[in-house]
Structures are given as structure tokens and as C-alpha cells.
Amino acid sequence: MQVEYVKVAQTLPTKLRRFFARYPPMRGSATGYQDGATLLASSINTSSADPNANHTESTFPPSLVPSDSPNPFKPHKHPETGRWHDPIYSLRRQADLVKLARANGVEELLPYTFKGSEEGRKRREEHGLRVKGTGVGQRVKGKAWERTMKSRLEKRKQAMLGMPTLVQQWKQARLLPIFPT
């Protein structure tokens, strides 16, 4: 069974393999394998020139063990200084990783991120499209000519309906002499 996971890990794109090497999936994750760090480390470390190529123990420093490391997608507070550190991966890079993982069927192994499919679905259910004017009783702002079009068309229609009387008035005015004698 572990051999299958190694084969799957070797088929992943380089970006995803590097990410999982640095931030292995949590133990007891959705796929059920126990030591993701060991499996991914062995799948990445395949160079024949490397003397530790067949080494199957985790080669990650203790600071990068999944349970101890903060989520690389979220800001975190430094334990000693108390200062906040930005996320290691920007939102754009998070989105790229999520798209790659989704395409390869391993999205559930990524740490929590706002860019994940499940989070997007939750936000869509809670807030809807969030486009102004799509709610009940709301109107889209639109351009100035779009907002005034109804009133202009109504004025034009009333003017056209009153056109015969206006023509009559002009004809009457033209027949009257300009200089009365």
C-alpha cells in the first residue's frame, strides 16, 4: 500500500512535490496513510548520486513536522517575539497550489486555505453571489445613461403623443401676421 502512495507522489507536479516535502500532510489525513513525510521524502529523494536515496526516515527538521509547523497559508505569531509573520504562501500562490492539487486529486491533503474548493462553496452558500443589485429589492447602479433611459423614453413618448397638437399650434402661429396693422 505504501508503494502505491510513493508512485502517486512521484506523479505529482514538481510544485506540489516540493510543497508536500516541506509541509507533509497531517497524520490520519483523508487518504489514511500514516507518515506522509516519510513517503514524500522517499519519493522526492530519488537521485542515484545521493547516498541517502533509499533512506526512508523523515529527513525534515523538527521545526517542519506537520503538528508543530504553522499553516503556511495563514499568518502566525512568533512564539518568542510575539510579532506576526505573514503567510509563507501568498494568496496567488495558494490559488495556484490548490488548482494543481485539484487537478491531481490531492486537494484534501493541503492545509486549510481560503482558496480551497470547500471553503469557496461554503462562502457561496452563505453570501450568495454578492453582486450589488442581485438581492431582493436591489437595483444595479449602472451607467448614467442606463439610469435615466426610462425617464427619457417616457418624455419622448409623451412628446410624440402631443406632436399633432404642437404642429397645429405652429401652423396657427405662422398664419397670424407678425406685424398687425
Side-chain angles (χ1 to χ4, degrees):
M1 184 150 221
Q2 287 186 350
V3 176
E4 294 173 18
Y5 292 129
V6 171
K7 287 180 183 177
V8 170
Q10 288 174 340
T11 62
L12 293 176
T14 309
K15 272 188 179 181
L16 275 177
R17 283 191 300 184
R18 284 188 189 140
F19 177 81
F20 285 132
R22 188 165 181 196
Y23 302 100
M26 300 297 266
R27 292 173 189 251
S29 64
T31 58
Y33 63 80
Q34 293 301 310
D35 193 4
T38 303
L39 291 173
L40 287 166
S42 64
S43 69
I44 290 172
N45 205 358
T46 56
S47 171
S48 60
D50 189 358
N52 296 327
N54 294 328
H55 186 64
T56 58
E57 289 182 5
S58 177
T59 57
F60 301 108
S63 62
L64 292 180
V65 174
S67 60
D68 295 341
S69 65
N71 185 343
F73 296 152
K74 289 185 172 184
H76 63 280
K77 199 172 192 176
H78 194 277
E80 293 174 14
T81 62
R83 300 190 84 186
W84 283 94
H85 292 266
D86 291 334
I88 297 167
Y89 288 88
S90 68
L91 291 175
R92 180 185 59 83
R93 290 174 63 200
Q94 288 178 35
D96 290 344
L97 278 172
V98 168
K99 287 176 197 171
L100 269 176
R102 187 181 312 131
N104 289 287
V106 292
E107 184 181 1
E108 65 275 354
L109 296 179
L110 292 175
Y112 172 79
T113 177
F114 291 116
K115 299 294 181 176
S117 298
E118 192 60 36
E119 181 63 26
R121 259 187 244 107
K122 285 180 189 174
R123 274 197 312 265
R124 177 63 63 87
E125 287 174 6
E126 287 177 19
H127 303 293
L129 288 176
R130 294 186 101 175
V131 176
K132 186 170 182 172
T134 57
V136 177
Q138 293 182 345
R139 291 177 42 194
V140 178
K141 178 182 175 186
K143 305 281 185 184
W145 66 269
E146 293 171 325
R147 295 192 303 261
T148 59
M149 186 184 333
K150 276 188 181 177
S151 62
R152 279 187 287 115
L153 289 176
E154 186 61 33
K155 284 181 186 177
R156 200 177 291 166
K157 182 179 176 183
Q158 293 302 322
M160 291 303 286
L161 290 174
M163 191 58 68
T165 57
L166 187 64
V167 169
Q168 286 297 324
Q169 289 174 356
W170 276 90
K171 285 183 179 178
Q172 292 296 326
R174 191 173 52 176
L175 294 177
L176 294 175
I178 296 176
F179 299 108
T181 51

